[in-house]
Structure formats: structure tokens, C-alpha cells
Amino acid sequence: MSESLKNWPSFWADVPEEDRAPMREAIADLIGRGVILGDTASGKDLFLLIRDHYQRHVEEYLSVLGMNLVVDDDFCLLQAQPRSEDCALLSQFSKDETLLLLVLWRAWDDDRSNNVHQTVILSVDELWQKFRNTFDRIDPPEKTHLESMLGKLKRHRLVRTSRPEGSTQLGEMVVEILPSLPRVIPFDSLESYLERLAHYQPTSAES
């Protein structure tokens, strides 16, 4: 191996020069944000490049970090999925953000179980109410804090947010739950989800 390649992964020598910069960008995105959205202008070329030519290479790279590569053609996305809660990707979320993820996961699961729509959308007002109903012994976050947490989830490409034209209230903001979100905290069944939920619920003596 040449001196210039000795610090790179073993597969790097097989990657043509013109593909190396987008490969670095794709891997950095998957590690830093967890997701590449192929339905966006910036993500389409990276999605196609990895899916069609370098899936095995990226899988090899991510495996060292305790993650699997998910290629989702239906939703046109790539995702670095943690294998366990020891993965650094999950540790990036605070307790409040984890609670929000759990609420969003249930909203996604309920909608996908009852509807055939690919898109799962709710308002911040609806999300706040779902949080309150899910964690009835925990004070729901202020909506400004909710907006801040959604901003972080948006940076990780787990949700999209938008404001309807003419809206003046934060509660009117629209949240789209992306299919990448359920994989961040995957559950085999609703029962396993409820077990995790109970872990965060304070006891009667604590509340």
C-alpha cells in the first residue's frame, strides 16, 4: 500500500479519485447526522452513489462504530442504525430529547398501523398533547423548548418542520416524522416500547 493510503480504510484504494470526495461527505453525514435523505437535492447523488456502488464499503466502515447501514429504497434514504444503546449516536440525545423521541415513535407507529400514507405529520400543539398523554407524571416541555429539541432532531434528519403560510403561533408549526426516526430507537414490538416507556415514568412517590 502506498504511503498516501496507509491511514485510510482497506477499501479506499478501490475507490476512484472522482468518488472519494463524495464518499467522505457521505460517511461524514452518516456519522454526524445519522441519515442521508435521497429525496433532497443535496442528498440524491450521495444516496445513489452509495446504494449503487459502495454499499459494502460503507457497511464495513460503520460496523467498526457499532452501526449497520440501512438502505431504504421506499423512502429513498440511507441511515447509520445503532446496533445497541452503547453506540455513540444514541448518546447524543439528552433525557428530554429521548422522551420526545419516544413520543414521536409512538405517533409514527400508530399512524403507520392505521393509515397507508407514507407521510406522518402532526402539529406542535398535537405533539405537545401527545407528550402530556404519554408521560402523565412528567411536566410537558414548554413549546419553545420543544421547538429547540425538534431543531436538533431536524439536524439529525429524523424530522422535518415547516410553518403553514400565515401561521402566527408556534403550536401551528407542522412536524413531519421521517422514517429514519423509528430506527434510532427500534423496538421489536409495542410491548418492548411500553417497557422502555415505563423506565422513564416516575413512580407515584416521585411524582
Side-chain angles (χ1 to χ4, degrees):
M1 180 177 292
S2 69
E3 185 70 19
S4 62
L5 294 177
K6 70 177 183 178
N7 294 322
W8 292 93
S10 59
F11 62 74
W12 201 245
D14 301 328
V15 179
E17 186 68 33
E18 63 270 19
D19 287 345
R20 290 181 180 178
M23 271 282 282
R24 285 194 291 266
E25 182 181 352
I27 291 173
D29 255 6
L30 287 169
I31 294 173
R33 296 177 179 265
V35 178
I36 292 172
L37 298 174
D39 64 350
T40 64
S42 61
K44 181 179 180 181
D45 289 344
L46 296 180
F47 172 80
L48 293 174
L49 178 72
I50 303 304
R51 186 197 67 179
D52 295 343
H53 303 289
Y54 298 109
Q55 187 172 332
R56 179 181 58 80
H57 303 75
V58 177
E59 286 173 346
E60 177 185 325
Y61 193 96
L62 293 178
S63 67
V64 179
L65 305 176
M67 292 183 280
N68 296 322
L69 176 67
V70 175
V71 180
D72 190 329
D73 283 310
D74 290 337
F75 292 100
C76 201
L77 65 83
L78 303 173
Q79 183 167 9
Q81 181 181 27
R83 290 200 194 119
S84 72
E85 293 187 7
D86 294 331
C87 176
L89 183 64
L90 280 179
S91 67
Q92 296 179 32
F93 298 112
S94 67
K95 180 181 177 180
D96 284 352
E97 291 159 354
T98 301
L99 297 181
L100 179 58
L101 282 169
L102 288 168
V103 174
L104 289 165
W105 186 96
R106 183 61 184 270
W108 164 273
D109 188 68
D110 286 347
D111 193 273
R112 297 292 291 168
S113 298
N114 299 321
N115 299 296
V116 295
H117 309 124
Q118 283 200 335
T119 306
V120 181
I121 291 176
L122 69 167
S123 70
V124 165
D125 277 343
E126 291 170 329
L127 179 57
W128 185 89
Q129 189 62 50
K130 285 181 180 294
F131 191 106
R132 185 178 182 183
N133 292 340
T134 302
F135 296 102
D136 55 352
R137 296 175 185 170
I138 299 175
D139 290 335
E142 296 290 335
K143 290 180 183 176
T144 51
H145 183 38
L146 197 56
E147 181 184 27
S148 174
M149 291 191 289
L150 286 169
K152 181 171 181 178
L153 301 190
K154 186 176 179 179
R155 289 192 294 276
H156 282 277
R157 296 170 182 162
L158 304 179
V159 300
R160 289 189 178 112
T161 60
S162 61
R163 289 182 181 270
E165 186 176 353
S167 68
T168 58
Q169 302 298 318
L170 177 56
E172 297 172 330
M173 178 188 285
V174 173
V175 180
E176 178 187 351
I177 306 173
L178 298 176
S180 49
L181 186 143
R183 297 193 187 101
V184 173
I185 44 172
F187 297 105
D188 296 329
S189 65
L190 181 58
E191 288 70 24
S192 61
Y193 166 82
L194 293 174
E195 287 177 8
R196 173 68 68 84
L197 210 65
H199 174 74
Y200 290 100
Q201 292 278 23
T203 65
S204 297
E206 294 172 329
S207 60

